[in-house]
């Protein structure tokens, strides 16, 4: 037994090349993590620091300096922020729900065998992933449909993501046909099979789709800027954040008084944190489904 243990230790002993590879891999991964995390950490530290000190600070900011919540007070005192936050919650919840329902229904229909025109329809849908109408033609379609300055102008364009549809369809195709056949023997129709068999067995993929669509809606601002030009009361938080970042000042928050550049930057940092915090809190909850859902939906069983 002792000889066997020594043999196993010898077999699993890392060579010099393996050690160098591990060191380089961990070093590169650590640098990438720091490069991705530090901008968020900098914005957070700057948002709770004294604006005057942050303005004088040169180089890297590792810790908050003279903690001050004045910027957050200015942000939360602004009614536009609260209204845009409610708009974003509406767009995210309603839009994600519609996205999931339509994507799942389309994926189920095109995952069935012997469906008429299955391949041409699938090719037509996949074609839109590589080529689309473009910004101006899409705007003209939205305008001619009478959707300008309406909430659905933000929700309807891009209702189904082809990438997510492919993942969902592949996941449905991997479900054993025996489950469907047993449902048919019990008298279930396609709607019952879809809602009571396919959706419950695809919770992991649905969680991933929810994450994809939810993040897209939460961070979306382009559709609102294009299709809601005369309805600032319907603008999402991401568009308000963009305007603050671009202008580095907000006249609405100044309440008639001139904002200093330092306070404008502090408001900008605080608004960014407020806009990304819900996603940062949601991602760890759904992260455990991410890898499994992608694998299930990308490899046909």
């Amino acid at each position: 037994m002792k000889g066997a243990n020594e043999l196993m230790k010898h077999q699993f002993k890392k060579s010099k090349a393996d050690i160098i590879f591990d060191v380089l891999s961990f070093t590169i991964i650590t640098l990438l993590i720091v490069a991705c995390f530090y901008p968020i950490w900098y914005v957070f530290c700057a948002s709770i620091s004294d604006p005057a000190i942050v303005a004088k600070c040169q180089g890297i900011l590792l810790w908050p300096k003279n903690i001050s919540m004045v910027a957050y007070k200015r942000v939360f005192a602004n009614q536009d922020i609260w209204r845009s936050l409610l708009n974003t919650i509406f767009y995210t919840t309603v839009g994600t729900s519609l996205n999931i329902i339509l994507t799942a229904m389309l994926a189920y229909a095109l995952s069935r065998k012997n469906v008429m025109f299955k391949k041409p329809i699938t090719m037509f849908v996949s074609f839109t992933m590589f080529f689309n109408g473009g910004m101006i033609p899409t705007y003209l379609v939205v305008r001619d449909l009478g959707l300008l300055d309406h909430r659905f102008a933000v929700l309807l364009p891009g209702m189904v993501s082809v990438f997510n549809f492919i993942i969902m369809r592949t996941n449905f195709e991997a479900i054993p046909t025996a489950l469907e056949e047993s449902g048919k023997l019990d008298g279930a129709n396609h709607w019952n099979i879809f809602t009571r068999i396919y959706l419950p067995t695809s919770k992991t993929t649905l969680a991933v789709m929810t994450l994809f669509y939810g993040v897209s809606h939460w961070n979306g601002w382009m559709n609102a800027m294009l299709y809601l030009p005369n309805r600032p009361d319907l603008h999402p938080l991401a568009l308000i954040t963009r305007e603050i970042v671009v202008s580095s000042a907000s006249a609405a928050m100044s309440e008639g008084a001139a904002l200093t550049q330092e306070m404008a930057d502090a408001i900008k940092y605080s608004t960014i944190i407020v806009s990304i915090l819900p996603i940062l809190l949601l991602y760890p909850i759904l992260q455990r489904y991410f890898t499994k859902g992608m694998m299930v939906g990308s490899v046909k069983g």
Side-chain angles (χ1 to χ4, degrees), residues 38-51:
Y38 176 72
I40 300 176
W41 178 249
Y42 176 89
V43 172
F44 172 74
C45 292
S47 68
I48 62 175
S49 299
D50 188 341

Side-chain angles (χ1 to χ4, degrees), residues 118-140:
K118 175 180 177 179
K119 289 187 178 180
I121 295 175
T122 303
M123 292 180 61
F124 179 79
V125 173
S126 302
F127 179 83
T128 61
M129 183 169 59
F130 304 101
F131 303 96
N132 55 52
M135 182 184 299
I136 295 178
T138 304
Y139 176 86
L140 295 177

